[in-house]
Amino acid sequence: MIDSALWFKLARTAAAASMLNACSIGGCSKYASAYSCSYVEDRAEYEVWYWRHVEQDNVADNKPIARTVGLERCENTARMFAASIGATFNYRAYICVLMDGGKRREKHRYGEG
């Protein structure tokens, strides 16, 4: 059972989060992100990771290949990399790792929302 003080704190936190989301300040539900949708899609810096033989499930093949800005550009970078190594592009073979303050924060794919 939750005591009344804890319940009040939880309710207040939920209300504040609801107000932030209503004002489009609290993140982007399309990408399940703490950042705004426009930031995730257009302004965020990403490490582009490509898993060369994803079907073989060898984690050692998953490597960073580039850095870029914007989620669509991240996917395009992965597509160009696949072409450069003679591979057919596989949507599961890449991931865009959102960087903030030099740290990896979130993982996304373009259009996943």
Side-chain angles (χ1 to χ4, degrees):
M1 179 138 198
I2 298 176
D3 74 10
S4 60
L6 179 58
W7 184 88
F8 180 73
K9 284 181 183 178
L10 291 172
R12 188 174 57 197
T13 301
S18 178
M19 286 187 333
L20 286 174
N21 284 333
C23 297
S24 299
I25 296 171
C28 177
S29 60
K30 177 179 179 183
Y31 291 102
S33 175
Y35 300 88
S36 72
C37 289
S38 64
Y39 182 79
V40 168
E41 292 175 338
D42 302 322
R43 298 188 314 273
E45 179 184 0
Y46 291 96
E47 280 185 344
V48 184
W49 286 69
Y50 193 85
W51 196 334
R52 194 169 195 157
H53 302 289
V54 70
E55 68 283 348
Q56 294 175 8
D57 204 28
N58 181 355
V59 178
D61 286 339
N62 190 18
K63 300 186 189 281
I65 58 168
R67 280 191 180 227
T68 191
V69 173
L71 201 49
E72 183 175 12
R73 192 175 298 163
C74 179
E75 180 179 309
N76 289 338
T77 300
R79 287 180 178 278
M80 288 187 292
F81 180 78
S84 76
I85 62 171
T88 301
F89 180 74
N90 180 336
Y91 188 73
R92 289 183 46 238
Y94 87 101
I95 197 75
C96 302
V97 181
L98 189 147
M99 303 297 291
D100 188 7
K103 296 185 179 179
R104 295 178 181 117
R105 300 293 184 180
E106 299 178 350
K107 296 177 181 178
H108 300 288
R109 287 190 177 96
Y110 178 67
E112 74 179 355

